[in-house]
Structures are given as structure tokens and as C-alpha cells.
Amino acid sequence: AVLAAEASFAQNDVGDGAKHGPDLLVAFADTPLVTADTFSRLLAGLRESGAAVAVAGFEACDPTGYGRLLLDADGALVAIREQKDAGEAERAITLCNGGLMALDGRHALDLLRAVEPNNAQGEFYLTDVVALARARGLAATVVRVPEGEVAGVNDRVQLAAVEAAMQWRLRERAMRGGATLVDPQSVTMSFDTALARDVVVEPHVVFAPGVSVGEGSRIRAFSHLEGATVAERAIVGPYARLRPGARIGAEAHVGNFVEIKNATLERGVKANHLSYVGDAHVGAGTNLGAGTVTCNYDGFGKHRTVIGANAFIGVHAALVAPVSVGEGAFVGTGSVVTRDVAPDALVVARARAVEKPGWAKGFRERKGRPASDGQG
């Protein structure tokens, strides 16, 4: 598998008069908890000891199934013995192979090409490069790592276990960086979640990839954020959803059951209840009443809504994009706005209420149902 990438580390002039490839790091997709520091230590293990091979090793609580690291009397690495090829004494060894290794670029290709399937499983063991290096008079060394860091994933149970470990690592990083997680175990984070100092995250919040939250903001319970930027001192949630492209300005409020998608809410905007704002720009200080909807999709394409600063959008207003509402304008409750609204204007787009006295009483009498029968 490593030699499949041979063309990418072909021999090059490295400036010392010799031609050879770069030093190699071999990593595994099923050990996701390895840190950058461990990779650095593996490379340092080559350079500081002059070894041709540096191997990550760990002390196993239960070594069954792992390759054992065989050391000589001086503590130098001699070979790696796989479980099926190990003798009884070797199986008692608890220093095990973590899989990761670094190879000196001057020797890597020669060692890799020399590996043969001479073992109980008839497989090409990458681990044989240690014994091959020693047979050529080259050194090999062990870089010790915590067992948990090289935990492998072979099924969904193990995947869940390493995900739990990674989640705690991400939560700890956020808290040590100055964020407060009210109930850390209930918060789900992504590798790139960025929480500034004094951010407060309430229980049961999910941070999908691409989220940053500015200093002093509060993310309330049961909110879901993805691909979103939240500026300082904003409030999001509870039960809010920020979708990709959401940009929430400083001191803005995004409240209960509000969804923001590919839209910018400038400083101090308030969208506190039951609204959908998609493909839009909302100016500073504007208030979006409960049930405000930007109607951005016509069945074929998406269109933008632009709302100026300090506007007031009444409850249950529908803004049919493409449309703009000027600065300081008022949109009346229940209006369906299909044309641009001038700055400081009032637009009311709804039918006038008509009252018919006594109609309800007559309707009930015609149906033969008294007013107090309790049926709704």
C-alpha cells in the first residue's frame, strides 16, 4: 500500500550531493486520534537518533492481536512480530506496535521494495522494514505514545468510542480557550469549531463544520449551527438553526425556531420567533416579526431579499424575492410584499377585514349546534 504512492516520493536531489526521496510518515485512516505532536515526534525520532525507521509504540493493557515490539539488551528496536508469528515469550510482551512509522528518505524505497510475504498469513508486512533495516546495519527506534491515541476503528462500536474521545478533546480545547459549556457532554463539536473567549454554550447544541462564534456570544439550548459565522455578543437560540452562509452580526438575536440560510443579519438585528430568512441581507437594527419569511425559491431558482437598516417587518409577513425593503420602512402585519418598498414608507398588502354582525350565531343555528356544546 505504501509503495502505491512511490511516484509521489521519487528520488530527488536534496542538496547533500545524494539523490533520495523525502522522509516518509506512514499514517492509517483507522487511527483518527493521532495528534500532530506525535507525527512531529516520529520525524524527530529519525533525526535525533540517526535511525532509518521510527515506530510508534504503546504499552497495551491487553496486547492480544497487536504486533509486539522486540527490543535488544540496550533497548533498541530489533523487529516487530505480528501476533500469528509470535512465540509464547514474545506474546507476553506488552510493548505493541501503534502502526504509525517514519522512514528516512535515504533508505525508504530500498527497505519497502525488500519486503516479502514470508509469514504465516502470506502478506506483505510493512513492519518487516524494521528487521530489514537492522540486517543492513541501520538503526530503528521506538517513539512511545499513549494507548488511547492509537486506538483503531474496525467496526461501528469502536468508531463510536473514538468519536466520544475526540468530542471530549474538542470540548476541552474550547473550554481551555475561554468558552463555557454548561453541559459539555451534550454539546457536539466539529474539528474546526472556533469559540472565542466568554462564549456560553447551553446544553444540546450541535456545531457542524465551518462554525465560528465571536466573543461574549451565547448559543442557547437545542440549536444547530453549520457553515455559520456569529459575531460578538450575539444570541442564538434556543431551537435555532443556522445553515451554511449564515452571518450573524454583533449583538443580533436569532430566537426560537428561526432558520437562517445564506443570509447576513447586521448588527443588532432581531429575529426572535418562528422565521425563515434565506438568501437575504438584513440591515442593522431591523426587527423581523414572528413568522417573517423571505420567499426565496420560485420552484426553479433562488432569489435575494434586501432589507435596509432600522426597518420593521410585521408579524407573519412574506417577502417575495427578488424584493427590497428600504431603510426605516414598515411592513404591516400579515402582508405579502411583491414589490420594492421605499425607505421610510409603510406597506400594507392584505385584504381589509369585513365584519358581518350575527353571522356566527346564524351559522350555528343552521347547523343545529348550540354555542356551548364544547365541540371545536
Side-chain angles (χ1 to χ4, degrees), residues 277 280-284 286 288 292 294 305-309 311-313 319 323-327:
V277 183
H281 186 281
V282 183
T286 286
L288 304 180
T292 295
T294 60
T305 298
V306 178
I307 304 172
F312 183 91
I313 311 300
L319 309 178
V323 71
S324 65
V325 177
E327 290 190 13

Side-chain angles (χ1 to χ4, degrees), residues 102-125:
L103 301 171
D104 187 317
R106 292 171 295 181
H107 308 290
L109 279 175
D110 288 341
L111 292 173
L112 291 167
R113 289 168 175 162
V115 174
E116 297 290 344
N118 300 322
N119 52 71
Q121 300 188 86
E123 297 178 349
F124 289 88
Y125 287 167

